[in-house]
């Protein structure tokens, strides 16, 4: 059981190892706050869709399973969208377009197809949580690097000295920084993985 | 045939249940979203009048006047918004005891680099800005989004509308608005929209209000 | 004349200034996934242009004639289902009437359903208040911008196959770093406010 949870965090990390869900990973990681918001929203959708698809797997004929999964996922995404808009409007605004786009996050449909429709509810919950946490951690890691270099802060708190914060390395927080940070992190993980094996 | 009907039926049931649940959640959250937006505006309206020491408490009185704004450049590829250009909406700050007008607040909106930037502005009766608050924007994070920083917004304190110019050099900071690094467009947008709306306000209220 | 000018402005904005891949981070999965070979990049690009234009057209009509004003909250769910159905439909039609084209594009079509750029464009058309004609053009130019960077990327990656790169950076990591440098180049367009 625990294995289903931990595999999503390191060994099968959805972002770094499987390279899924890249759009939100790069788009919203301009600050740790955004990263946590997106990670939380995606984890909720992943968990709920895993649970429901695992429960419904015997009722859905396999020819129409993909549209059925899409409906389930899209419903939870819309719920998250509405609830965030109502209770955390500022975060909702800064994540913007990427909340409805959780629908097409390949991690969620991928887990539904590859795991939840073959396993029981308990395992699917652990899998969903693990993948969600893995996704969130990856987002927070990238966001921490970009926020620190590009804004001189971590989770909004000033970390770097003042003259740095006045003219930070803006590139890190802009689009190019996202791609380069991601590429270098992936390379670093490759080195670490090779050392271990 | 029966088999395909069954497939369709299953999908239909799932979609129906989903739509029902969404309708329910929507009915719960929609009023909160509207209320939040309103509360935000009210709070911002109070904030921009902070620091002006009047001898009495005050209320906000909504005023709406029709003005003839020159039709701006309109993009044939975008849907025209119905109301813009015809009315100007502002709030009079009215003293509770004397009933005198102590100042005005209004919301200024203009399309910036990648979003519409909405700014709440509080002015006194000489049309000098007391404070501004950027209440809604989605400009580039790290660049234009810094227009919501306190340091940036504080630059507008006590500025008169004909004194607002955007500069990039720190030596002119006393008289002008220092542009956010790499986000001159956002800075200009805010300054221009304030300038234009302040002029309109001055014109409208000088006529004697209504 | 004014109309032509607006279309031109929109083209420059969607293709260069606010490129859907490099500035808005949409459609990254196919961008790093299908950019290993120039042929497949071109095929994918064409398929995306086609589906994006069609999806922009249909989702706009659905939004303004069915969802507004009472069912706007069902937007995400209807749009994604429309796109999924559309992709299936296009696949069937092309297979029947143009087998040669199907051979070239067929394998990429199913991948497009989960290409977030397609749903992204459909939603942005509504959020940015495009008219019907405007959203068709926006879909078209977004697709062209996607194809442009995809093909550029594929061209570079084909050459890098030969290059001597540290082993840990091969493949995906290098693709991202290159994408970052391309994004830096495209950032040069961002001074334009059209």
């Amino acid at each position: 059981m625990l294995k289903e949870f931990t595999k999503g965090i390191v060994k099968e990390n959805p972002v770094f190892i499987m390279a899924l869900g890249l759009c939100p990973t790069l788009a919203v990681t301009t600050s740790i706050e955004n990263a946590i918001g997106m990670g939380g929203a995606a984890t909720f959708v992943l968990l709920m869709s895993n649970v429901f698809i695992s429960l419904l797997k015997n009722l859905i004929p396999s020819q129409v399973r993909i549209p059925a999964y899409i409906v389930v996922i899209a419903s939870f995404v819309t719920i998250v969208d509405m609830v965030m808009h109502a209770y955390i409007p500022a975060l909702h605004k800064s994540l913007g377009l990427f909340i409805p786009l959780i629908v097409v996050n390949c991690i969620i449909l991928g887990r539904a197809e590859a795991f939840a429709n073959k396993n029981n509810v308990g395992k699917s919950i652990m899998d969903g949580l693990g993948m969600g946490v893995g996704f969130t951690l990856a987002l927070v890691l990238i966001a921490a690097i970009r926020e620190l270099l590009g804004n001189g802060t971590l989770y909004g708190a000033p970390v770097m000295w003042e003259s740095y914060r006045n003219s930070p390395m803006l590139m890190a927080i802009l689009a190019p920084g996202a791609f380069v940070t991601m590429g270098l992190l992936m390379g670093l993980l490759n080195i670490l993985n090779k050392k271990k094996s | 045939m029966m088999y395909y009907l069954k497939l369709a039926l299953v999908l239909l049931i799932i979609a129906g249940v989903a739509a029902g649940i969404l309708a329910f959640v929507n009915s719960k959250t929609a009023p909160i979203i509207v209320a939040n937006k309103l509360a935000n505006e009210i709070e911002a309206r109070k904030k921009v009048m902070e620091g002006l020491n009047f001898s009495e408490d005050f209320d906000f009185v909504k005023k709406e006047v029709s003005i003839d704004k020159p039709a701006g450049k309109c993009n044939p590829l975008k849907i025209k918004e119905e109301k813009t250009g015809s009315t100007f909406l502002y709030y009079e700050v009215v003293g509770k005891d004397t009933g005198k007008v102590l100042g005005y607040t209004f919301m200024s909106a203009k399309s910036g680099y990648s979003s519409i930037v909405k700014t709440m502005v509080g002015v006194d009766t000489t049309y000098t800005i007391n404070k501004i608050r950027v209440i809604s924007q989605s400009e580039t994070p790290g660049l234009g989004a810094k227009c919501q920083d306190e340091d940036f917004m504080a630059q507008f304190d006590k500025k008169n509308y004909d004194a607002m110019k955007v500069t990039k050099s720190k030596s002119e900071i006393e008289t002008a608005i220092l542009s956010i690094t790499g986000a001159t467009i956002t800075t200009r947008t805010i300054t221009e929209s304030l300038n234009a709306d302040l002029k309109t306000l001055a014109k409208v209220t000088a006529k004697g209000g209504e | 004349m004014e109309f032509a000018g607006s279309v031109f402005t929109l083209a420059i904005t969607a293709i260069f200034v606010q490129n859907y891949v490099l500035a808005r981070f949409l459609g990254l999965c196919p961008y790093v996934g299908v950019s290993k070979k120039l042929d497949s990049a071109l095929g994918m690009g064409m398929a995306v242009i086609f589906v994006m234009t069609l999806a922009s057209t249909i989702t706009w009509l659905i939004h303004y004639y069915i969802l507004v004003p009472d069912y706007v909250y069902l937007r995400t769910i209807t749009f994604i289902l429309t796109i999924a159905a559309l992709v299936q439909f296009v696949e069937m039609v092309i297979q029947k009437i143009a087998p040669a084209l199907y051979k070239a594009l067929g394998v990429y079509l199913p991948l497009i359903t989960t290409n977030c750029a397609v749903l992204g464009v459909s939603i942005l058309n509504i959020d940015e208040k495009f008219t019907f004609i405007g959203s068709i053009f926006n879909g078209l130019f977004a697709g062209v911008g996607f194809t442009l960077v995809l093909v550029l990327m594929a061209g570079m990656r084909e050459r890098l196959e030969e290059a001597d790169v540290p082993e840990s950076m091969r493949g995906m990591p290098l693709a991202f770093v290159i994408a970052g440098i391309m994004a830096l180049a495209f950032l040069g367009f961002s001074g334009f406010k059209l």
Side-chain angles (χ1 to χ4, degrees), chain A residues 1 50 54-55 57 115-116 118-125:
Chain A
M1 257 334 209
N50 258 11
S54 167
L55 283 172
K57 64 175 183 283
F115 196 92
K118 298 193 187 79
N119 289 286
N120 62 26
V121 180
K123 274 189 178 172
S124 298
I125 290 177

Side-chain angles (χ1 to χ4, degrees), chain C residues 22-181:
Chain C
L22 296 175
R24 289 197 204 251
F25 302 106
L26 293 171
L28 290 175
C29 294
Y31 179 62
V32 291
V34 199
S35 60
K36 284 188 194 114
K37 287 267 175 314
L38 202 57
D39 296 344
S40 49
L42 211 56
M44 181 69 172
M46 291 305 148
V48 167
I49 294 180
F50 187 63
V51 172
M52 235 180 211
T53 315
L54 216 53
S56 294
T57 315
I58 296 176
T59 51
W60 193 93
L61 291 173
I62 290 181
H63 184 84
Y64 284 103
Y65 289 99
I66 299 177
L67 297 183
V68 171
D70 292 332
Y71 303 106
V72 178
Y73 61 90
L74 291 176
R75 186 175 70 178
T76 312
I77 199 166
T78 23
F79 279 19
I80 185 68
L81 284 178
T82 309
I83 291 168
L86 184 72
V87 170
Q88 284 279 321
F89 183 70
V90 166
E91 199 178 342
M92 285 192 292
V93 170
I94 293 185
Q95 200 174 5
K96 272 261 156 55
I97 61 170
L101 189 65
Y102 180 75
K103 235 180 164 180
L105 303 187
V107 279
Y108 308 110
L109 282 170
L111 287 175
I112 293 177
T113 309
T114 50
N115 182 342
C116 53
V118 179
L119 182 61
V121 170
S122 304
I123 296 178
L124 280 173
N125 284 335
I126 308 299
D127 282 353
E128 299 197 350
K129 300 195 171 64
F130 277 109
T131 59
F132 181 59
I133 304 294
S135 47
I136 296 176
F137 276 116
N138 195 33
L140 174 68
F141 294 138
V144 172
F146 176 81
T147 308
L148 176 74
V149 292
L150 190 67
V151 167
L152 285 176
M153 183 74 170
M156 278 189 260
R157 280 181 79 175
E158 271 193 350
R159 297 199 163 201
L160 279 168
E161 291 287 293
E162 315 290 314
D164 185 23
V165 183
E167 205 187 316
S168 55
M169 286 301 284
R170 262 181 215 161
M172 207 76 96
L174 191 63
F176 273 108
V177 176
I178 295 171
I181 296 166

Side-chain angles (χ1 to χ4, degrees), chain B residues 22-23 26 74-79 111-114 185, chain C residues 2-3 6 17 64 73-74 128-131 134 190 193:
Chain B
L22 291 184
N26 183 58
C74 82
N75 187 339
L77 296 178
K78 300 258 177 129
I79 294 171
S111 146
Y113 183 66
S114 57
I185 292 171
Chain C
E2 194 191 356
F3 181 76
S6 302
V17 183
Y64 284 103
Y73 61 90
L74 291 176
E128 299 197 350
K129 300 195 171 64
F130 277 109
T131 59
S190 73
K193 166 75 180 164

Side-chain angles (χ1 to χ4, degrees), chain A residues 61 63 75 86-87 93 170 174, chain B residues 3 7 18 22 32 36 136 142-143:
Chain A
Q63 275 88 346
S75 310
Y87 294 103
K93 177 120 193 148
L170 275 176
L174 296 176
Chain B
Y3 181 67
L7 291 187
L22 291 184
I32 302 177
N36 268 345
S136 165
L143 298 177

